[in-house]
Amino acid sequence: MDRDLNAWIATWMGRVSGRSSGAGLGPADGKDGGGIRAPRTGAVAGGRCRPRTLAGVSESKPQRAVGVRDVAALAGVSRQTVSRVLNDHPDVAPDTRARVVSAMEELGYRMNNAARALGTHRTRTIGVLASDALQYGPSRSMAAIEASAREAGYWITAAFADSGDEASVGQAIEHLRAQAVDGLIVFAPHARTLDVLDALRIGIPTVILHAAERADFSVDQRAGARLAVATLADAGHQRIAHLAGPADWLEAEGRATGFAQELAARGLPAGPVFSGDWSPRSGHEAAAEVIASGATAVFAANDQMALGLIGGLRAAGVDVPEQISIVGFDDVPEAAYAWPPLTTVRQDFEELARRAVARVIALGGSGATTSDPVAVASSGSSGSSDPIAPVLVVRDSVVPPAG
């Protein structure tokens, strides 16, 4: 059998080597003389190869993308009118605008932001520079900014940076500027982030958030802390401790200041301050120090630490709120379902986002930045720069001190 196989291979190789040319591996006369024929990819006519298509598959030319000219033709208007509609120009009659929008939908027209930027110098895109975005405040603000921007007909593009690294912040800003954003919203929870921003020439409208009193828009952190302490003091507590956030966060600093101010305003002794890092773990670990301090109430600088503290106190056999009352800050979704349900201070992140987006849009239209006081003062649609008042949410984690 091996002899027969070798003979067949030798015969086949002879046929192949004996051919001078051809599209396949079969005999030169086109008949299958026992050889192997390779699939043909084309037919030879006049020395030229004619491409072939697969059976059942039709050839079609790529379709041209729908453009402004197509929309104008279908709507029965000029290309200039279509451009005005695309750029939200006010001098377009409502029925004309409706015809243009209908034509765009029918044709599946998709606007080219790059092309629009060339004509209007605007992309209807807002850049967001964020750091520590996993924390509740920045993450809620990010979601609220996206919703406010979309409602105003804008999109956001985000970049994340190490807030303490000048190179990281600078690279993130350059990345956003390369996207031709109309303006920037910057989360600057740390003083060092502001120092980096001060050293950079950004050159486009910029709004600062999460920098306490140094922000363009902010929730009044001191007022929120004073609300929390007042609630505990009004319940009769005099030994009130503070579980503080990280020392390098401006909002943590504002809440610690408000804590001390309210105690002083009521003539109460300065309470002990314990350091946390915003995490439930740090709250849980602080329980032993809180118990040793003799405090009957604690204002925690955020809800996650407050919830961790409740767990740590219970693990140590301390009842909350009967032995130690607790107030948090932020009103995270879990606060209402903790045991006991947590009394806390709510921040209006939606209003914060609305003001920031409106300010960026207003400044972008004027070509100014936040350093231009005339432009800022005239942009009434951007809302007040006054701090947003926080709201106390009363639940069940505060009772009068025992005894």
Side-chain angles (χ1 to χ4, degrees):
M1 182 173 179
D2 291 342
R3 184 180 303 152
D4 293 340
L5 177 61
N6 290 335
W8 183 88
I9 292 173
T11 301
W12 179 78
M13 291 297 292
R15 287 176 178 171
V16 173
S17 62
R19 294 181 58 190
S20 60
S21 63
L25 293 178
D29 60 3
K31 296 180 181 179
D32 186 2
I36 302 175
R37 181 184 299 274
R40 298 183 65 185
T41 59
V44 177
R48 303 178 68 181
C49 183
R50 176 170 54 84
R52 303 178 63 181
T53 58
L54 296 174
V57 179
S58 61
E59 289 186 291
S60 61
K61 296 180 179 179
Q63 294 185 348
R64 178 176 61 84
V66 176
V68 170
R69 186 188 304 244
D70 304 301
V71 175
L74 182 59
V77 299
S78 67
R79 283 179 289 171
Q80 289 79 5
T81 298
V82 175
S83 179
R84 290 190 183 99
V85 172
L86 290 173
N87 293 303
D88 293 330
H89 198 283
D91 296 335
V92 180
D95 60 333
T96 302
R97 185 183 300 274
R99 288 207 318 275
V100 171
V101 171
S102 177
M104 287 191 291
E105 292 175 349
E106 182 176 340
L107 293 172
Y109 174 78
R110 296 292 181 268
M111 185 163 47
N112 186 322
N113 260 351
R116 175 159 69 173
L118 289 174
T120 66
H121 304 292
R122 301 184 73 178
T123 60
R124 301 188 74 82
T125 303
I126 297 171
V128 179
L129 174 60
S131 60
D132 303 282
L134 294 180
Q135 298 298 335
Y136 181 74
S139 66
R140 274 292 307 276
S141 295
M142 178 72 80
I145 286 169
E146 196 278 333
S148 293
R150 188 172 63 248
E151 184 177 349
Y154 280 68
W155 295 94
I156 69 166
T157 181
F160 298 86
D162 179 350
S163 58
D165 183 347
E166 181 176 352
S168 176
V169 173
Q171 289 167 2
I173 289 176
E174 286 306 312
H175 169 75
L176 292 170
R177 291 181 62 189
Q179 313 306 309
V181 296
D182 295 337
L184 288 178
I185 297 176
V186 179
F187 297 173
H190 308 283
R192 59 180 181 270
T193 307
L194 294 176
D195 295 338
V196 171
L197 292 174
D198 289 341
L200 295 173
R201 293 184 177 181
I202 299 177
I204 58 176
T206 302
V207 171
I208 307 297
L209 300 181
H210 292 288
E213 286 78 9
R214 296 177 65 180
D216 293 301
F217 298 107
S218 66
V219 175
D220 193 331
Q221 305 298 312
R222 294 185 185 184
R226 297 189 69 161
L227 276 175
V229 174
T231 298
L232 295 168
D234 288 344
H237 293 278
Q238 296 187 355
R239 291 176 292 169
I240 303 173
H242 179 43
L243 178 53
D248 61 341
W249 278 64
L250 294 169
E251 290 179 332
E253 179 185 328
R255 293 170 201 177
T257 299
F259 164 78
Q261 288 177 337
E262 186 63 21
L263 289 178
R266 290 174 173 264
L268 296 175
V273 177
F274 308 106
S275 297
D277 62 8
W278 297 134
S279 71
R281 176 189 53 78
S282 67
H284 194 280
E285 292 176 349
E289 290 182 292
V290 169
I291 294 170
S293 73
T296 62
V298 179
F299 162 48
N302 78 337
D303 288 347
Q304 284 93 342
M305 291 193 298
L307 296 176
L309 177 59
I310 290 173
L313 291 173
R314 286 201 162 159
V318 176
D319 186 271
V320 177
E322 294 301 328
Q323 292 175 273
I324 297 180
S325 292
I326 298 176
V327 177
F329 204 106
D330 281 338
D331 193 26
V332 301
E334 298 85 355
Y337 304 99
W339 188 255
L342 183 65
T343 294
T344 185
V345 176
R346 177 184 296 158
Q347 302 193 72
D348 192 344
F349 295 108
E350 286 71 24
E351 175 62 14
L352 187 68
R354 188 196 67 76
R355 293 187 187 185
V357 168
R359 172 66 63 82
V360 166
I361 293 173
L363 293 176
S366 66
T369 67
T370 51
S371 61
D372 185 340
V374 176
V376 171
S378 63
S379 57
S381 62
S382 62
S384 171
S385 294
D386 294 337
I388 299 168
V391 177
L392 182 72
V393 181
V394 178
R395 296 195 179 103
D396 299 331
S397 61
V398 177
V399 297

